[in-house]
Amino acid sequence: MTERTPFFDGHNDFLLRLMFTAARREEVWLGRTGNGHLDLARMKQAGFAGGLFAIFVPPISGGPPPDFATLMSSPPYDLPTPPQMNHGEAQPMAMTMAGLLHWMERVAPNDFKVCRTASDVRNAMSDDIIAGVMHMEGAEAIGPDLDALYLFYEMGLRSLGPVWSRPTIFGEGVPMKFPGSPDIGNGLTEKGKDLIRLCNELGMVIDLSHLNDAGFNDVAKISTSPLVATHSNAYALCETPRNLTDRQLAQIRETGGMVGFNYATFYINENGTAANDMGWEPLFRQMDYLIEHLGENHVGLGSDFDGCIVPKLIGDVTGVPSFLSALGKHGYDQSLLAKLARDNWINCLERTLRTETVT
């Protein structure tokens, strides 16, 4: 393998860190502080060629963020589900993060581009420019009339998950629990079904990560697009509701969809802990399983960088080349590695996104 294999990543929370960091945003994006999992310098060093950048509105809280390393250290655990948010509460932060994604392009136009089509992604990557696709993790910022979806679409939104791990007016998310099943709660609401149909009409990726089993089934019945889970792993190997059952993997495969392998340790470790001192074997086990059940054309990377605890062997984005190299030594040939690193994601975007912007 070469040292710098270009890769496309299915999910990161860099916009959330950029919005909340105490440092100047220029330092976080353009500087070399080494904090968090991502910044422009480390992305270019690692070969990060593009990815889905999540707009995620965190729960409203006056306290510090949860200490997941401690909360998930001794299973079983069942973390409280945050309360539902309305679009009036969520829209200001969602708009701020959408604006930050475009700011990232303005201050580094030769290194980063907000992409709206698969052709945009391919062209940016061929020019050695990082291709950023706007994603929304949880549709709280979209009101019941769905008008805001058109607005965010005009800003570049091309991928949307109806829920995070809390209820919305569209459906229900799965809890942060171990052990636990995704078969909990009701399916999509009528507004949720309308949301899926509009996403299909606009030509957008519909992200099934965080959605409960009944909601997953409803999307599978309604959607005309490939089923996609941007950052989830196999439930058979780690029984957290956030992972995908064999039946769900089969449905994704049948539609020519995608699963992005999540680096979060609590979705990899068989015991559900956040411990990050594992070797490569647990990651190989998950990746092998996903390929076995989905086929080699429907698996990619979905790091969850800046939103989770990752294995020490990866550490941050600069550790992805080591992961790809380890997969090569594990037995994956160059053709398969290219598919996992970028080709499968780009092909999925070509099957899903419109070639022209809807007006």
Side-chain angles (χ1 to χ4, degrees):
M1 281 194 60
T2 61
E3 187 66 24
R4 186 178 177 275
T5 300
F7 60 91
F8 187 96
D9 186 75
H11 186 93
N12 73 72
D13 286 294
F14 178 72
L15 294 175
L16 182 68
R17 183 164 70 88
L18 187 59
M19 182 174 66
F20 279 112
T21 185
R24 293 174 63 248
R25 60 183 184 177
E26 289 83 0
E27 295 176 15
V28 178
W29 174 227
L30 303 174
R32 293 180 176 270
T33 64
N35 296 328
H37 294 145
L38 297 168
D39 56 44
L40 180 57
R42 283 181 290 170
M43 291 160 74
K44 291 183 73 67
Q45 174 188 341
F48 186 109
L52 272 61
F53 285 71
I55 293 172
F56 166 64
V57 178
I60 297 174
S61 171
D67 179 2
F68 290 113
T70 300
L71 293 171
M72 297 177 170
S73 62
S74 301
Y77 52 78
D78 189 357
L79 307 189
T81 301
Q84 184 171 327
M85 298 177 70
N86 63 49
H87 65 284
E89 295 169 319
Q91 276 185 5
M93 277 193 281
M95 290 288 288
T96 296
M97 282 183 271
L100 284 171
L101 187 69
H102 284 276
W103 169 83
M104 289 161 59
E105 179 184 73
R106 288 199 305 276
V107 297
N110 296 322
D111 294 310
F112 185 83
K113 178 179 175 59
V114 178
C115 295
R116 292 168 168 81
T117 67
S119 294
D120 286 347
V121 172
R122 286 194 183 275
N123 291 338
M125 290 172 59
S126 67
D127 291 335
D128 200 25
I129 296 173
I130 296 171
V133 178
M134 189 186 296
H135 168 71
M136 187 172 284
E137 183 178 23
E140 285 88 351
I142 309 299
D145 56 17
L146 305 184
D147 287 346
L149 184 61
Y150 290 98
L151 177 61
F152 280 103
Y153 180 87
E154 288 298 320
M155 289 188 283
L157 184 68
R158 292 298 184 270
S159 176
L160 178 142
V163 300
W164 176 67
S165 291
R166 64 186 166 208
T168 71
I169 61 172
F170 306 112
E172 296 186 37
V174 292
M176 295 184 181
K177 178 180 181 180
F178 188 91
S181 167
D183 188 8
I184 181 173
N186 298 316
L188 297 179
T189 64
E190 288 306 310
K191 287 295 180 185
K193 295 174 183 178
D194 290 341
L195 178 68
I196 299 306
R197 295 186 185 101
L198 182 53
C199 286
N200 283 165
E201 180 182 330
L202 293 173
M204 294 175 59
V205 173
I206 300 165
D207 182 18
L208 298 165
S209 293
H210 288 282
L211 192 60
N212 67 355
D213 193 61
F216 183 106
N217 292 339
D218 284 338
V219 174
K221 292 175 184 175
I222 296 169
S223 181
T224 57
S225 298
L227 297 177
V228 174
T230 64
H231 58 306
S232 294
N233 295 338
Y235 181 82
L237 301 181
C238 176
E239 295 184 353
T240 169
R242 273 284 285 106
N243 283 342
L244 299 161
T245 65
D246 287 355
R247 179 187 60 79
Q248 291 173 328
L249 294 175
Q251 287 179 277
I252 291 171
R253 178 173 184 162
E254 288 169 5
T255 66
M258 274 288 298
V259 173
F261 171 69
N262 193 325
Y263 304 166
T265 53
F266 32 84
Y267 305 144
I268 295 173
N269 289 322
E270 289 184 302
N271 62 3
T273 69
N276 66 350
D277 58 351
M278 77 273 278
W280 291 120
E281 283 303 320
L283 284 74
F284 294 160
R285 187 164 57 245
Q286 277 283 350
M287 188 65 85
D288 289 346
Y289 195 92
L290 291 174
I291 292 172
E292 177 186 353
H293 286 261
L294 290 162
E296 64 179 39
N297 295 324
H298 306 291
V299 183
L301 306 178
S303 69
D304 214 350
F305 276 145
D306 281 326
C308 71
I309 298 169
V310 305
K312 287 182 180 178
L313 285 172
I314 293 179
D316 63 18
V317 67
T318 61
V320 176
S322 295
F323 179 38
L324 295 174
S325 178
L327 288 172
K329 294 175 182 176
H330 179 60
Y332 292 12
D333 62 25
Q334 291 294 322
S335 174
L336 177 53
L337 287 171
K339 291 180 180 182
L340 299 176
R342 61 188 177 276
D343 293 348
N344 288 346
W345 266 122
I346 298 171
N347 290 338
C348 182
L349 294 178
E350 287 182 332
R351 294 192 295 272
T352 307
L353 303 184
R354 289 183 178 272
T355 56
E356 301 290 342
T357 300
V358 177
T359 57

